[in-house]
Amino acid sequence: MPRPVLIDTDTGVDDALALIFALRSPEISVKAITTVAGNVQVSKCTRNVHRILQLLQVADAPVIAQGAPAPLRRRLVTAPEVHGDDGLGNAGIPLRRPARIRKDAVRMILETCERYGRRLTIVALGPLTNLAFALKEDRATLSRVGRIVSMGGAFRVPGNTGPVAEFNYYVDPEAAHRVLNAGLPVTIVPLDVTQQVSLMRKEAEYRAGRRASTAAKAILRFTRFYMRYHRTTEGFLGGYLHDPVAVAVALEPSIVRSRRVHVDVETKGERTRGMTVAELRHKPRPGRTAVHVAFRIDRERFLKLFHERLWK
């Protein structure tokens, strides 16, 4: 029986790839998708989820609920330079039917936890604002979740938002700090592993050309802007697969190797906002909350799985 999954997303380009990957994976059943402000404003994130579902012609579509429009305490920081003004590379991906927007993401998270309990995996692809609100509203119900996979953080590598912080945790460091210190069953998938895998433009064109499907052509269109950004900033024409790696960890946890450590998130530093600090030299001390942090990925295994699903 497929494992029930809830995806919480700030739907930018790599989030969209992650959604396609998840929706085409028979090991899991995406029961709900909640949106949170991050890569773009939350209303755009919600529209992008509808665009992807319509693109894939998902018959039994998951419930979609819009969530937090801003971080817990801070002004929203978005990334139009990475994902385009619309979050999908300004590619004009159509939204053929008006989307009915529910605005109860926190309630949806809690109801899904209550319904599926330990069977449920939450895959958090954006800032952890919605989860922090759910934690505040009903800690006991959120604690029933089997696993939370959070794409975020940077430990032994530089940040991608300033020198030390990863974008999701930079946007809402207070939310990240609360969730990672709540005793929840969290696995962090940081830049340390997500930057080990990328989708190159030439490979995308080759694989899309073999399929020639509407979805494959759309993937080429909405990844173009994202890949050009990486050519300017990283020196290669392609894009890191941050969020698809988080989905892969939900599908096959053994695809990464992780360590159980205590993690703090910097919320007060002027230049270190969102920095993840882990006690890597010591085992977790009694009485301190610990989470799992992925540090190694089976790159070939991930890419094989990803490409099999993405270009179906």
Side-chain angles (χ1 to χ4, degrees), residues 76-99:
L76 176 63
V77 175
T78 59
E81 72 282 5
V82 182
H83 300 275
D85 292 329
D86 69 348
L88 285 182
N90 302 328
I93 303 301
L95 183 62
R96 293 184 298 275
R97 299 185 300 275

Side-chain angles (χ1 to χ4, degrees), residues 77-252:
V77 175
T78 59
E81 72 282 5
V82 182
H83 300 275
D85 292 329
D86 69 348
L88 285 182
N90 302 328
I93 303 301
L95 183 62
R96 293 184 298 275
R97 299 185 300 275
R100 183 174 65 88
I101 299 177
R102 293 179 51 166
K103 297 186 178 181
D104 59 349
V106 171
R107 177 49 41 195
M108 179 61 60
I109 290 169
L110 293 172
E111 288 178 356
T112 309
C113 288
E114 187 171 16
R115 180 174 182 181
Y116 295 103
R118 296 283 179 245
R119 293 175 53 212
L120 179 68
T121 297
I122 294 175
V123 185
L125 304 178
L128 294 176
T129 316
N130 285 339
L131 293 184
F133 277 124
L135 180 69
K136 181 179 180 181
E137 183 169 323
D138 191 341
R139 176 185 290 263
T141 297
L142 184 63
S143 297
R144 295 179 62 181
V145 69
R147 192 176 192 207
I148 297 171
V149 179
S150 168
M151 191 280 122
F155 293 87
R156 293 170 168 162
V157 298
N160 62 0
T161 308
V164 295
E166 176 276 329
F167 177 78
N168 288 337
Y169 291 3
Y170 179 89
V171 169
D172 198 342
E174 285 80 14
H177 177 78
R178 291 184 190 182
V179 172
L180 299 184
N181 285 277
L184 298 167
V186 177
T187 296
I188 299 174
V189 180
L191 298 183
D192 304 59
V193 293
T194 66
Q195 291 184 343
Q196 294 180 35
V197 290
S198 58
L199 175 61
M200 303 303 291
R201 189 67 189 174
K202 286 186 177 180
E203 181 169 22
E205 290 173 347
Y206 170 73
R207 291 182 179 272
R210 292 182 65 189
R211 294 297 302 170
S213 66
T214 300
K217 291 176 182 176
I219 291 169
L220 276 186
R221 285 164 55 199
F222 74 68
T223 56
R224 183 178 292 112
F225 188 98
Y226 184 71
M227 291 177 170
R228 288 176 176 171
Y229 170 81
H230 284 80
R231 180 175 61 184
T232 300
T233 59
E234 303 288 341
F236 69 92
L237 186 55
Y240 289 129
L241 297 173
H242 304 294
D243 292 334
V245 172
V247 168
V249 173
L251 291 173
E252 298 188 11

Side-chain angles (χ1 to χ4, degrees), residues 23 48 51 54 62 70 100 121 137 196 224-225 242 261 266 281 299:
L23 291 163
N48 288 343
R51 286 186 171 98
Q54 290 181 18
R100 183 174 65 88
T121 297
E137 183 169 323
Q196 294 180 35
R224 183 178 292 112
F225 188 98
H242 304 294
V261 295
E266 178 58 62
R281 293 186 297 173
R299 184 175 179 275

Side-chain angles (χ1 to χ4, degrees), residues 256-307:
V256 294
R257 293 179 61 183
S258 62
R259 291 181 57 185
R260 190 168 180 270
V261 295
H262 176 78
V263 176
D264 272 319
V265 181
E266 178 58 62
T267 61
K268 297 179 181 178
E270 182 179 344
R271 295 178 177 83
T272 55
R273 166 181 168 177
M275 180 180 182
T276 42
V277 181
E279 297 183 6
L280 298 176
R281 293 186 297 173
H282 307 286
K283 292 183 179 180
R285 296 195 297 273
R288 296 202 73 185
T289 299
V291 297
H292 285 89
V293 178
F295 284 108
R296 293 184 184 179
I297 183 169
D298 187 333
R299 184 175 179 275
E300 296 306 316
R301 182 178 161 197
F302 164 78
L303 288 172
K304 182 177 185 296
L305 187 67
F306 174 72
H307 286 302

Side-chain angles (χ1 to χ4, degrees), residues 17-28:
L17 294 175
L19 286 173
I20 296 170
F21 185 22
L23 291 163
R24 288 179 166 176
S25 292
E27 301 92 338
I28 62 174

